[in-house]
Amino acid sequence: MPMPVAKQIGWDLGGVHVKAALVEAGRVVAASQVPCPLWQGVAALDGSLAALPDWARGEARHAVTMTGELTDCFADRREGVAALSNWAGKHLSGRVRIYAGRSGLVAPEAAADLFADVASANWHATAALAGRHAPDALLVDIGSTTADLIPIVGGRPAAAGYSDAERLETGELVYTGIVRTPVIALAHDAPFKGRRTRLMTETFAHMADVYRILGLLPEGADQQASGDRKGKSIPESETRLARIVGRDRGEGTPEAWALLAAHFAEAQLRLLHDAAATLLSRPDLPTDAPLIVCGAGAFLGPRLAERLGRPARLLVDLLRERVAGEPDWISTCGPAVAVGLIASEDTFA
């Protein structure tokens, strides 16, 4: 194995967040996530870069993966890949490479011609890293917006799809997350006060409200505005959730709102269960293949694994020897960590 690069920063440029991970001498020493309203234009990345810790703006070698190319400020993915790659090449201090998944690391100016490999390939980086530690497994990366379920066979990503469109078809991309998913995306009706009620098809409440009410939302996971642009206390989340069933918060008790929240949490877990069960039925995955869990929603991993009768292993535990200090943000910043570690072992030829 090549000697690791002395200082490497891995990046994940998303349409809602920017994630960065600092790798020194082959070990992750820091990671951070900040909001990025990329739909407002590429200039939003400047503000995100400024909001990151000082080390993110320092001289280093950089490896960049992305999902932000699908943001609606771009006409198509090729334009998005070109814009994000150009931004990285101009604003990151030091040599920059773009992660092109199955095509490896490429120069920023070459990324547009390989846009189909570059676009939303962050899942590939995480799976490639996980495969070095768990040769046969199902990677389950549950984020704020989406979940990636990637079979790993023989130590390599073995997804049947590659693009977002293909992975939506194969069930390897499940468009649900623990923060930004509107609760109405998960159910048409819900139980409340002994009756089954239809829901208001409005984006009043999101899954961040659900997991906040249930006391499960990780600290710092919810970095976007709430549905009503108000606060993020439990009572305010209860108010938003109440509107989904046409109620005011005062028409229910905290216990009633927790029961309603639990209904939506169950609906989301069932969605992930069905996708994972299908993928685990592949004949090339052993019957004891574990779930490798990461992302802001990693707390769902043990429950999901129990349903599936599989062991669950946290990616941060697999990487324990490659992480310096406490693994804060390591799980949430999985793709940035992955490209940082992968690139630190690359010669950058």
Side-chain angles (χ1 to χ4, degrees):
M1 181 178 293
M3 290 295 293
V5 173
K7 184 176 180 181
Q8 179 79 50
I9 299 178
W11 295 85
D12 185 5
L13 304 182
V16 179
H17 301 104
V18 167
K19 303 169 185 178
L22 176 61
V23 178
E24 292 183 343
R27 302 183 74 199
V28 183
V29 298
S32 183
Q33 170 183 283
V34 295
C36 180
L38 188 57
W39 60 89
Q40 297 176 2
V42 177
L45 289 167
D46 299 346
S48 298
L49 181 60
L52 284 164
D54 289 344
W55 53 260
R57 294 178 294 279
E59 183 76 19
R61 287 181 170 177
H62 303 271
V64 180
T65 187
M66 64 184 70
T67 59
E69 79 288 336
L70 57 79
T71 307
D72 52 15
C73 67
F74 303 122
D76 54 30
R77 283 170 168 74
R78 183 187 181 96
E79 178 184 307
V81 166
L84 297 181
S85 300
N86 289 340
W87 179 89
K90 291 178 180 178
H91 290 81
L92 302 182
S93 182
R95 196 170 186 187
V96 176
R97 287 292 180 268
I98 307 299
Y99 187 74
R102 54 196 174 191
S103 294
L105 290 158
V106 302
E109 57 271 21
D113 288 339
L114 291 168
F115 77 94
D117 290 347
V118 174
S120 295
N122 61 351
W123 61 269
H124 189 282
T126 310
L129 179 64
R132 299 182 181 187
H133 302 271
D136 296 292
L138 180 67
L139 174 70
V140 180
D141 184 350
I142 306 171
S144 63
T145 307
T146 63
D148 293 310
L149 285 74
I150 310 300
I152 298 170
V153 178
R156 296 179 178 274
Y162 189 90
S163 69
D164 284 345
E166 292 169 347
R167 294 192 304 118
L168 284 169
E169 293 174 350
T170 60
E172 294 159 340
L173 171 59
V174 182
Y175 224 91
T176 193
I178 65 151
V179 176
R180 300 184 65 240
T181 299
V183 298
I184 56 167
L186 296 167
H188 299 294
D189 50 54
F192 187 73
K193 288 190 172 182
R195 293 186 177 182
R196 199 82 182 181
T197 177
R198 296 286 292 182
L199 307 179
M200 289 189 170
T201 52
E202 301 281 356
T203 55
F204 291 133
H206 295 75
M207 290 308 290
D209 293 308
V210 164
Y211 290 118
R212 185 177 294 111
I213 291 169
L214 296 176
L216 297 173
L217 187 67
E219 183 179 355
D222 183 10
Q223 297 186 334
Q224 301 300 317
S226 63
D228 57 6
R229 301 299 191 267
K230 294 183 180 179
K232 296 180 179 179
S233 66
I234 290 178
E236 287 166 312
S237 284
E238 291 173 344
T239 295
R240 289 188 285 269
L241 191 63
R243 292 192 177 114
I244 290 293
V245 290
R247 305 275 184 161
D248 293 327
R249 176 173 172 264
E251 295 181 69
T253 63
E255 292 77 16
W257 301 127
L259 283 171
L260 182 58
H263 171 76
F264 292 111
E266 165 63 24
Q268 185 173 63
L269 191 62
R270 191 179 308 127
L271 189 65
L272 295 169
H273 170 272
D274 290 350
T278 300
L279 295 170
L280 288 169
S281 71
R282 286 175 43 151
D284 56 349
L285 274 176
T287 56
D288 60 350
L291 269 60
I292 307 301
V293 185
C294 63
F299 64 89
L300 295 176
R303 289 181 61 196
L304 180 61
E306 183 178 7
R307 287 187 174 209
L308 294 163
R310 302 288 181 129
R313 303 178 67 184
L314 295 176
L315 181 62
V316 292
D317 290 338
L318 293 181
L319 299 178
R320 187 69 60 178
E321 294 183 358
R322 305 195 67 181
V323 177
E326 292 299 317
D328 294 340
W329 285 111
I330 296 303
S331 183
T332 299
C333 299
V337 169
V339 293
L341 285 173
I342 290 171
S344 73
E345 297 166 359
D346 189 88
T347 61
F348 267 71

